[in-house]
């Protein structure tokens, strides 16, 4: 059986096509990413802007062509922050169904966090001690406090990289004053997270795919410590290397970031606010370990579907 999973995010549409056997084990056949930027323009009047709306439809048509070419048996398409928070999100879902035949499920932040947890739990052994899982999207960022056995607390914050950029409107490169403003904003907006970590203490952060993938690959290119971390499902950061990349990013211009090895062009604009948020949370909670899970929402959707089947 072949299954396609589409993660319809605020910045990026991601496709994963897998072959699944009767035991529920899967092999990746193909994957694709399209930088759609549904949030471009900042949702004027609460709507996805017309150009971004059309770009999203065109992108899903391209992904559907790939799905047909691979003769997929089942397609699972899930939409997150941009679609659920925009006034014309339902219209987008309807237009996609008409144009491509793809039926999109729009999920709330709570369900998104749960599915991210399922993906991370398959990528690595979280262990019996609590970990903080962090997934940075374009529209929202999910935080989950959990161990291998259960979720203790989870929440989706409207603190995706696109929203943070609109909040700060950073210079090129970002200034110290803008970084200070961003940290003050995060300090206030993440008050629920700080309180939850008092109840469920943690010592490790697990970053779910996305920006964490880019940071791991940048570290690999600069320090050449081991094989490419993205060929595995987990990677353990050296925090000194992480800090070195952090300093390079916050002092860099967009032009310079385009030339940085390991940094995908689609992440050049967003990576600075993302890495500032990651480091801020690490320092605020005094976390001593940082791990990457290369599995995230897509894999969580697949595993949840297979378990129910």
């Amino acid at each position: 059986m072949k299954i396609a999973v589409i993660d319809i995010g605020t910045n990026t549409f991601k496709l994963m096509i897998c072959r699944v056997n009767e035991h529920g084990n899967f092999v990746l056949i193909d994957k694709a990413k399209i930088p759609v930027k549904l949030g471009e323009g900042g949702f004027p009047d609460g709507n996805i802007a017309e150009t971004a709306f059309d770009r999203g439809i065109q992108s899903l048509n391209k992904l559907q062509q790939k799905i047909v070419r691979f003769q997929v048996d089942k397609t699972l398409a899930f939409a997150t922050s941009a679609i659920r928070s925009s006034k014309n999100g339902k219209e987008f879902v309807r237009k996609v169904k008409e144009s491509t035949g793809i039926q999109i499920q729009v999920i709330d932040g709570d369900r998104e966090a749960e599915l991210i947890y399922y993906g991370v739990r398959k990528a690595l052994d979280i262990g019996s001690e609590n970990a903080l899982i962090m997934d940075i999207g374009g529209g929202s960022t999910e935080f989950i406090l959990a161990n291998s056995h259960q979720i203790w607390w989870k929440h989706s914050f409207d603190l995706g990289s696109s929203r943070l950029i609109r909040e700060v409107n950073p210079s090129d490169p970002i200034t110290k004053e803008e970084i200070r403003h961003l940290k003050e904003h995060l300090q206030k907006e993440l008050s629920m997270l700080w309180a939850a970590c008092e109840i469920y203490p943690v010592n490790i952060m697990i970053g779910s795919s996305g920006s964490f993938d880019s940071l791991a690959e940048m570290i690999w290119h600069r320090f050449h410590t081991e094989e490419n971390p993205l060929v595995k499902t987990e990677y353990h950061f050296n925090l000194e290397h992480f800090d070195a990349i952090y300093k390079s990013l916050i002092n860099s211009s967009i032009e310079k970031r385009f030339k940085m090895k390991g940094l995908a062009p689609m992440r050049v604009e967003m990576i600075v606010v993302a890495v500032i948020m990651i480091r801020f949370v690490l320092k605020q909670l005094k976390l001593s370990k940082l791990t990457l899970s290369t599995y995230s929402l897509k894999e969580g959707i697949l595993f949840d579907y297979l378990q129910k089947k």
Side-chain angles (χ1 to χ4, degrees), residues 12 45 70 72 81 92 96 109 112 166 173 180 194 196 198 230-231 273:
T12 311
D45 303 319
F70 278 91
V72 167
S81 180
F92 183 85
V96 168
E112 184 178 359
R166 289 199 296 274
R180 184 191 62 77
W194 314 140
E198 290 288 333
L230 301 190
V231 304
V273 292

Side-chain angles (χ1 to χ4, degrees), residues 10-67:
T10 301
N11 284 330
T12 311
F13 290 3
K14 303 173 187 176
L15 170 69
M16 175 178 74
I17 300 176
C18 300
R19 179 179 287 109
V20 182
N21 65 20
E22 65 273 17
H23 303 295
N25 299 317
F26 79 93
V27 175
L28 181 67
I29 299 174
D30 196 50
K31 60 182 180 178
K33 289 183 183 180
I34 303 178
V36 179
K37 295 187 177 180
L38 278 184
E40 193 170 58
F43 300 111
D45 303 319
N47 290 304
I48 298 168
E50 184 177 352
T51 53
F53 190 103
D54 292 341
R55 194 162 56 235
I57 301 293
Q58 292 167 13
S59 298
L60 285 168
N61 269 294
K62 289 179 183 177
L63 295 181
Q64 175 63 5
Q65 290 169 16
K66 186 181 284 281
I67 287 168

Side-chain angles (χ1 to χ4, degrees), residues 28-167:
L28 181 67
I29 299 174
D30 196 50
K31 60 182 180 178
K33 289 183 183 180
I34 303 178
V36 179
K37 295 187 177 180
L38 278 184
E40 193 170 58
F43 300 111
D45 303 319
N47 290 304
I48 298 168
E50 184 177 352
T51 53
F53 190 103
D54 292 341
R55 194 162 56 235
I57 301 293
Q58 292 167 13
S59 298
L60 285 168
N61 269 294
K62 289 179 183 177
L63 295 181
Q64 175 63 5
Q65 290 169 16
K66 186 181 284 281
I67 287 168
V68 170
R69 190 162 67 249
F70 278 91
Q71 299 180 317
V72 167
D73 301 294
K74 178 71 176 178
T75 298
L76 307 170
F78 284 64
T80 55
S81 180
I83 304 299
R84 68 176 175 245
S85 63
S86 59
K87 292 179 181 178
N88 57 349
K90 289 182 179 179
E91 181 187 355
F92 183 85
V93 171
R94 181 178 60 79
K95 286 286 182 68
V96 168
K97 178 67 174 176
E98 289 177 357
S99 178
T100 69
I102 296 171
Q103 181 61 60
I104 297 173
Q105 296 183 54
V106 182
I107 55 174
D108 62 23
D110 203 53
R111 178 64 170 154
E112 184 178 359
E114 181 182 11
L115 291 169
I116 290 165
Y117 167 72
Y118 293 153
V120 170
R121 192 172 63 177
K122 282 291 183 178
L124 53 88
D125 179 14
I126 301 174
S128 58
E129 295 186 2
N130 297 334
L132 173 63
I133 299 168
M134 180 180 185
D135 186 286
I136 305 171
S140 64
T141 294
E142 283 66 48
F143 288 98
I144 305 107
L145 291 168
N147 59 25
S148 288
H149 309 293
Q150 69 183 101
I151 295 171
W152 299 108
W153 178 91
K154 61 185 184 295
H155 192 77
S156 177
F157 294 87
D158 288 334
L159 295 172
S161 52
S162 292
R163 296 184 195 272
L164 293 180
I165 284 176
R166 289 199 296 274
E167 172 68 28

Side-chain angles (χ1 to χ4, degrees), residues 260-274:
M260 290 183 175
K261 292 182 178 180
L263 181 57
M266 70 171 65
R267 300 203 186 279
V268 163
E269 184 182 4
M270 308 294 178
I271 192 66
V272 172
V273 292

